[in-house]
Amino acid sequence: MSGEGRDGDGACGDGARGGSGSGGSAREDEPHGGEATGKAREEQPPVPRGRLIAVVGPSGVGKDSVIAGLVAARPDLHRVRRVITRPEGAGGEPFDAVTPERFAQLRDTGRLALWWEAHGYCYGLPARMAAVLQAGGDAVANLSRAALPEAAARFRPLVVLALDADPARLAERLAGRGREDAAAIAGRLSRRAPPPVLAPALAQADAVIALSNDGALGETVAAALAALFPETAGAA
Ligand SMILES: Nc1ncnc2c1ncn2[C@@H]1O[C@H](COP(=O)(O)OP(=O)(O)OP(=O)(O)O)[C@@H](O)[C@H]1O
Ligand SMILES: O=P(O)(O)OC[C@H]1O[C@H](OP(=O)(O)O)[C@H](O)[C@@H]1O
């Protein structure tokens, strides 16, 4: 990773990366193995793959809030529980709090599908999420924008839900959330600008849903649901 105000000293591994262990990739774990040929290939239906829905955007934009609204409306949607080197009880999303040493162990033993560094913490998505996708279920996760290129390389279909909001609202919301002190909030606000890798990563995604979360949360969640599940949009 590079860019002003961004981390990138490799404290969590080699930049935003994906794991290489078994179960770490929805692509690598082909359930049928080997190459189907001729008639056999014709007769085999495509292996169902759920979508990884990556929710991205600057800190405070409402990623976790929108994810909570999505899973409340769609209990069949799997919310990926992240592994973070943040102290337990920090508030916000439910996550697995680990020490940096434990994070490195999980990463080095193939138990993380994707990881990145932001705000002085290491974040990872557990490799076991691949099982949900392979079974055809959709999974939703809060991702760093810097992790999208690796996500696009490893998870298909990849749907990016890109949220944005006015900078003044981000500041208000981070202050109102009360999880960080003023210095940490300033650091988060300094990362609002998209990293250079974002545009090419969005171009690689199977679908991009760009929404403003300047308005009411319920409106953003409704718009996201309609875009993600058009077949049920408007249903009671
Ligand atoms: N549409 C909205 N209107 C008003 N407040 C909102 C809205 N969306 C989110 N919030 C509030 O803004 C704060 C930040 O939201 P949230 O924690 O979901 O953001 P986030 O993008 O996940 O942030 P981070 O990347 O720092 O984890 C929370 O206090 C949340 O309740
Ligand atoms: O790298 P960019 O896209 O700037 O920031 C996104 C990162 O920051 C947020 O961290 P937290 O959940 O507030 O700790 C997100 O969850 C994500 O990990």
Side-chain angles (χ1 to χ4, degrees):
M1 278 184 281
S2 63
E4 198 169 75
R6 291 186 183 277
D7 307 301
D9 63 4
C12 305
D14 188 15
R17 290 281 315 273
S20 58
S22 64
S25 164
R27 278 180 160 177
E28 286 173 359
D29 298 335
E30 293 293 339
H32 298 304
E35 181 82 0
T37 55
K39 196 160 186 300
R41 182 195 283 152
E42 282 168 27
E43 285 171 359
Q44 282 180 357
V47 176
R49 290 282 195 243
R51 300 174 292 177
L52 175 60
I53 301 164
V55 183
V56 300
S59 184
V61 76
K63 298 181 293 294
D64 287 324
S65 305
V66 168
I67 289 172
L70 292 175
V71 298
R74 295 285 309 211
D76 55 326
L77 186 55
H78 174 79
R79 179 182 195 160
V80 180
R81 185 179 169 104
R82 301 190 297 179
V83 177
I84 309 178
T85 57
R86 183 160 54 201
E88 201 155 15
E93 70 181 296
F95 66 97
D96 286 339
V98 295
T99 62
E101 294 72 26
R102 176 67 178 153
F103 188 94
Q105 188 187 38
L106 292 171
R107 180 195 66 215
D108 295 345
T109 53
R111 282 180 282 174
L112 297 181
L114 195 66
W115 62 83
W116 64 92
E117 183 178 2
H119 317 306
Y121 298 122
C122 300
Y123 299 78
L125 304 187
R128 60 179 179 273
M129 66 186 268
V132 173
L133 299 169
Q134 283 165 8
D138 290 339
V140 63
N142 176 336
L143 256 69
S144 167
R145 294 165 290 183
L148 281 178
E150 190 67 25
R154 303 183 67 80
F155 293 101
R156 295 290 178 165
L158 175 71
V159 177
V160 179
L161 177 52
L163 301 176
D164 206 354
D166 186 84
R169 287 213 165 78
L170 298 180
E172 261 169 41
R173 289 179 186 171
L174 288 174
R177 183 170 70 179
R179 195 178 71 189
E180 291 87 15
D181 63 19
I185 289 175
R188 283 169 179 264
L189 292 172
S190 75
R191 288 169 63 105
R192 176 177 183 264
V197 297
L198 183 64
L202 292 180
Q204 286 175 38
D206 296 282
V208 178
I209 301 164
L211 293 176
S212 159
N213 188 30
D214 274 327
L217 178 61
E219 284 173 18
T220 308
V221 172
L225 286 169
L228 288 167
F229 304 100
E231 68 285 0
T232 53

